């Protein structure tokens, strides 16, 4: 009887223990289910967030690609052998090592590989409208971490709410639905600096690109860099002629080196520089600095320009830009030889009678991408006013406001080289009225005799003036031109406005030749009477 009661008690205890264990297992099961559901919700939330971010990224990528397509950057330029294995996602760009070439404008030289790639492309090299090849050249920012980096593009990405339509449908219309401001800002993060150009020839070595001085200067100009972060240090170099470097290590006998006079060497070099033909596109060893880092070259399609604003530099004003009688002709004759593109902040040059004038492109129309083509189009040109504060120049006539468009416009120049006359006030009168002068500066400009006709060969001397870091070249009739005229030209080339009007009378400088040395003074004698013969002559300004 006692054993039976003990067995019943043990059985009850076992059942109680089993009930507690079952309740514990049920609780654990419920907790496990709740945890599994919570993790599932977290996973779904993260997956939804990831999908949303991917859709937002696809949206801004579509926006970026739409702008790139509008610029025609999808065309391939081919890849050098060194880049074939590590070609980027955009085969339309090439990374090339820069070299220096001759040229006054925006024409670069490319390797034959690019010509071969473009020749094999369907549709040929040129567009249907006969436009030349345009390229974007830029220095990639090494601190460009990821896309997107610009605040505007990030904000566009965050505010985008995907709809039921596929994001690819937005791709084709993104240029109409979005402005280009976010694209341009992202470009300022992607590149340290960039500009646009055309091509002069395909003669560079594989993996190299030839840059003229204006393009190299634009890439190295700290003032036009668009990177808002700490300034990136761009290393520079000067290309070296391998033949010249090899010759420099050859020993020269002492008697030979001692026989060569230093002045004679300098004169020979200067004569060679002044007389040599600097063919655009040909290598210019060590002539100027170029970036010591790869340059990205991308083929683009540019909109035709309709209008632009050019701001003359202070040096241009001092050299008499405001006294030019016909700015239209000066721009036409200079720019159609040197420019195919106009990019905002580019520095362009024009020449008149051997005097060089520098102007900055401050705006272009259309301004979607800050660059236009000036080929086969008519462009209305506004002459802007430079910032004259702190430069010691006071205004005699106030500059009209930018809203007064009529008085500030010049007749347009066209890349098609047909200028369109404007019936309103000409640019020369506008520029003359808007450029300030010092109160004590005489108003009468220097008047030079007209240059001999281009077909006149007899009795003509081409004279190169050097002084005060400037140069000027002009043709003179040696039988009719006086020494006073030659001194006036020298004053116009390298002197301030005050000196230009008084230099010929007070004789503050003299003109000399280097080798053999000969001194010329201001007089009423003709050039022929002073011993200047037909041909070429280089004269150097020496201040008293």
């Amino acid at each position: 009887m006692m054993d039976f009661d003990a067995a019943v008690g043990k059985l009850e205890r076992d059942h109680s223990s089993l009930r507690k264990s079952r309740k514990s297992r049920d609780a654990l099961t419920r907790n496990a289910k709740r945890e599994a559901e919570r993790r599932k919700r977290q996973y779904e939330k993260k997956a939804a967030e990831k999908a949303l971010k991917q859709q937002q990224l696809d949206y801004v990528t579509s926006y970026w690609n739409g702008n790139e397509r509008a610029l025609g950057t999808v065309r391939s330029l081919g890849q050098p052998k060194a880049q074939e294995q590590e070609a980027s996602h955009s085969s339309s760009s090439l990374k090339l090592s820069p070299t220096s070439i001759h040229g006054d404008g925006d024409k670069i030289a490319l390797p034959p590989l690019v010509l071969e790639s473009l020749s094999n492309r369907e549709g040929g090299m040129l567009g249907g409208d006969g436009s030349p090849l345009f390229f974007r050249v830029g220095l990639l920012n090494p601190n460009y971490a990821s896309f997107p980096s610009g605040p505007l593009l990030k904000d566009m990405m965050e505010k985008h709410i995907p709809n039921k339509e596929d994001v690819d449908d937005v791709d084709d219309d993104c240029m109409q639905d979005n402005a280009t401001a976010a694209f341009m800002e992202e470009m300022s993060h992607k590149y340290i600096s960039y500009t646009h150009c055309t091509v002069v020839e395909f003669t560079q070595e594989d993996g190299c690109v030839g840059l003229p001085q204006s393009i190299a200067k634009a890439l190295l100009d700290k003032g036009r860099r668009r990177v808002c972060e700490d300034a990136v240090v761009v290393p520079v170099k000067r290309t070296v002629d391998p033949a010249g470097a090899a010759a420099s290590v050859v020993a020269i006998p002492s008697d030979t080196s001692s026989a060569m006079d230093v002045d004679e060497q300098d004169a020979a070099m200067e004569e060679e520089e002044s007389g040599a033909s600097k063919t655009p596109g040909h290598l210019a060893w060590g002539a100027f600095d170029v970036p010591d880092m790869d340059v990205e070259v991308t083929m683009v399609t540019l909109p035709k320009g309709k209008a632009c604003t050019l701001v003359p530099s202070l040096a241009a004003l001092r050299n008499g830009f405001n006294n030019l009688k016909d700015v239209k002709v000066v721009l036409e004759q200079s720019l159609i030889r040197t420019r195919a593109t106009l990019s905002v902040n580019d520095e362009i040059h024009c020449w008149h009678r051997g005097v060089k004038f520098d102007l900055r492109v401050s705006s272009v129309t259309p301004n979607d991408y800050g660059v236009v083509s000036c080929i086969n189009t008519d462009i209305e040109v506004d002459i802007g006013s430079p910032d004259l504060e702190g430069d010691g120049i006071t205004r005699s006539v106030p500059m009209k406001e930018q809203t007064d468009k009529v008085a500030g416009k010049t007749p347009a120049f066209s890349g098609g080289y047909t200028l369109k006359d404007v019936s309103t006030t000409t640019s020369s009168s506008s520029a003359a009225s808007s450029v300030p002068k010092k109160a004590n500066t005489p108003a009468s400009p220097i008047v030079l005799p007209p240059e001999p006709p281009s077909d006149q060969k007899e009795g003509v001397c081409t004279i190169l003036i050097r002084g005060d870091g400037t140069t000027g070249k002009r043709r003179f009739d040696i039988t009719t031109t006086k020494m006073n005229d030659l001194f006036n030209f020298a004053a116009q080339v390298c002197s301030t406005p005050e000196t230009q009007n008084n230099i010929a009378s007070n004789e503050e400088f003299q003109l000399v030749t280097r080798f053999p040395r000969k001194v010329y003074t201001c007089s009423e004698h003709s050039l022929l009477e002073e011993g200047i013969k037909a041909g070429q002559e280089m004269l150097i300004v020496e201040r008293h």
Side-chain angles (χ1 to χ4, degrees):
M1 188 66 181
M2 295 296 295
D3 294 337
F4 178 77
D5 292 338
V8 171
K10 181 180 179 182
L11 181 60
E12 290 178 352
R13 289 193 297 271
D14 291 341
H15 279 281
S16 176
S17 177
L18 288 174
R19 286 193 295 271
K20 292 180 179 179
S21 177
R22 188 179 297 114
K23 291 181 180 179
S24 178
R25 286 197 300 270
D26 292 342
L28 290 175
T29 302
R30 288 193 296 270
N31 292 337
K33 289 182 178 180
R34 286 195 295 266
E35 180 66 19
E37 293 175 356
R38 185 183 66 82
R39 291 184 178 183
K40 182 179 179 181
R41 288 193 298 269
Q42 287 183 346
Y43 176 79
E44 292 175 348
K45 181 179 179 181
K46 289 181 179 180
E49 291 176 350
K50 184 177 180 180
L52 175 62
K53 289 183 178 180
Q54 185 61 47
Q55 289 178 330
Q56 292 174 333
L57 180 61
D58 291 342
Y59 175 75
V60 294
T61 302
S62 299
Y63 165 79
W64 175 271
N65 292 337
N67 283 274
E68 289 283 66
R69 275 202 306 275
L71 286 171
T73 61
V74 296
R75 292 166 291 183
S76 174
L77 294 179
Q79 289 287 347
K81 294 181 179 180
Q83 298 181 21
E84 286 180 353
Q85 299 298 328
E86 49 185 31
S88 62
H89 64 281
S90 177
S91 61
S92 60
S93 299
L94 290 178
K95 294 181 181 178
L96 304 174
S97 176
T99 61
S100 53
I101 62 172
H102 292 297
D104 294 319
D106 61 349
K107 299 175 177 61
I108 64 174
L110 292 170
L113 174 69
V114 177
L115 176 62
E116 180 182 354
S117 174
L118 295 176
S119 300
N120 295 333
R121 184 165 57 87
E122 182 179 357
M125 292 178 57
L126 299 179
D129 58 353
S131 298
L133 304 175
F134 295 116
F135 300 90
R136 180 175 66 214
V137 291
L139 301 176
L140 290 172
N141 181 13
N143 297 331
Y144 185 69
S146 61
F147 173 87
S149 294
L152 289 179
L153 212 54
K154 288 182 177 179
D155 185 64
M156 180 189 300
M157 177 177 171
E158 293 175 358
K159 291 183 178 180
H160 172 65
I161 300 176
N163 51 27
K164 296 181 180 180
E165 297 179 358
D166 190 82
V167 72
D168 292 336
D169 297 336
V170 185
D171 192 10
D172 296 332
D173 300 328
C174 73
M175 283 301 300
Q176 300 178 1
D177 298 337
N178 298 279
T180 59
F183 175 81
M184 296 298 294
E185 184 187 60
E186 188 68 21
M187 291 284 289
S188 71
H189 288 77
K190 180 180 179 180
Y191 293 99
I192 300 174
S193 60
Y194 65 93
T195 186
H196 301 81
C197 59
T198 184
V199 61
V200 61
E201 59 185 22
F202 298 88
T203 56
Q204 285 289 306
E205 295 182 1
D206 188 18
C208 295
V209 57
L211 304 180
Q213 187 171 11
S214 59
I215 298 296
K217 184 178 179 181
L219 295 179
L220 294 174
D221 186 6
K222 294 182 179 179
R224 63 175 289 159
R225 292 182 186 174
R226 302 170 173 87
V227 178
C228 301
E229 307 165 357
D230 295 337
V232 179
V233 178
V234 178
V236 297
K237 66 179 179 180
R238 292 212 173 190
T239 54
V240 180
D241 185 358
S248 64
V249 300
V250 178
I252 301 177
S254 58
D255 56 342
T256 305
S257 60
S258 60
M260 179 66 73
D261 185 77
V262 176
D263 289 337
E264 183 178 354
Q265 292 180 358
D266 293 342
M269 293 176 62
E270 290 178 355
E271 182 178 357
E272 180 182 357
E273 290 178 359
S274 61
S277 176
K278 298 179 175 60
T279 305
H282 288 196
L283 291 170
W285 300 111
F288 50 86
D289 290 337
V290 296
D292 192 12
M293 59 187 299
D294 286 345
V295 173
E296 186 188 68
V297 181
T298 307
M299 189 173 179
V300 296
T301 301
L302 301 182
K304 292 184 180 297
K306 297 180 180 179
C308 71
T309 301
L310 305 180
V311 179
S313 65
L314 297 179
L317 298 181
R318 294 190 180 99
N319 285 337
F321 182 81
N322 56 314
N323 293 327
L324 295 178
K325 294 182 179 180
D326 199 337
V327 177
K328 163 185 157 182
V329 174
V330 174
L331 290 175
E332 178 189 42
Q333 293 179 348
S334 300
L335 296 184
I336 64 177
R337 298 195 311 265
T338 60
R339 303 294 304 191
T341 66
L342 292 175
S343 300
V344 174
N345 290 325
D346 270 0
E347 185 179 68
I348 64 175
H349 315 288
C350 60
W351 294 262
H352 180 63
R353 294 183 174 180
V355 181
K356 181 181 178 182
F357 303 101
D358 298 331
L359 302 98
R360 181 179 59 85
V361 181
S362 64
S363 66
V364 294
T365 302
N367 63 349
D368 293 337
Y369 299 104
V371 58
V372 295
S373 164
C374 52
I375 300 296
N376 297 330
T377 183
D378 295 316
I379 299 181
E380 292 185 347
V381 180
D382 273 336
I383 302 300
S385 174
D387 184 8
L388 302 176
E389 296 183 2
D391 290 288
I393 300 180
T394 57
R395 298 179 182 270
S396 59
V397 179
M399 172 69 74
K400 288 193 175 184
E401 298 295 332
Q402 288 293 331
T403 54
D404 188 1
K405 293 289 185 179
V406 176
K409 283 188 177 178
T410 73
F413 72 91
S414 72
Y417 315 137
T418 302
L419 297 185
K420 182 183 296 182
D421 291 332
V422 177
S423 59
T424 56
T425 307
T426 63
S427 60
S428 57
S429 61
S430 171
S433 65
S434 61
V435 174
K437 300 178 181 178
K438 286 191 176 180
N440 59 353
T441 302
S444 58
I446 292 175
V447 179
L448 297 176
E451 290 192 55
S454 59
D455 57 353
Q456 179 179 341
K457 305 300 180 183
E458 299 294 331
V460 176
C461 181
T462 301
I463 297 180
L464 176 69
I465 300 293
R466 288 189 176 184
D468 296 345
T470 59
T471 60
K473 182 188 291 186
R474 193 179 188 274
R475 299 169 69 247
F476 292 93
D477 189 327
I478 61 175
T479 60
T480 60
T481 303
K482 308 296 184 182
M483 290 300 297
N484 286 342
D485 299 326
L486 186 58
F487 270 69
N488 285 338
F489 174 63
Q492 190 181 57
V493 170
C494 59
S495 302
T496 62
E498 296 88 343
T499 311
Q500 288 181 17
N501 292 309
N502 299 309
I503 195 69
S505 60
N506 58 27
E507 298 184 354
E508 293 182 359
F509 70 91
Q510 60 188 10
L511 298 176
V512 301
T513 58
R514 289 292 300 272
F515 186 82
R517 179 179 174 83
K518 185 175 181 179
V519 180
Y520 296 97
T521 57
C522 188
S523 68
E524 290 293 332
H525 297 160
S526 67
L527 302 187
L528 182 60
E529 292 173 340
E530 288 292 333
I532 298 178
K533 300 180 181 180
Q536 293 186 353
E537 190 71 52
M538 184 180 69
L539 301 176
I540 300 175
V541 174
E542 280 191 358
R543 300 284 182 181
H544 292 318

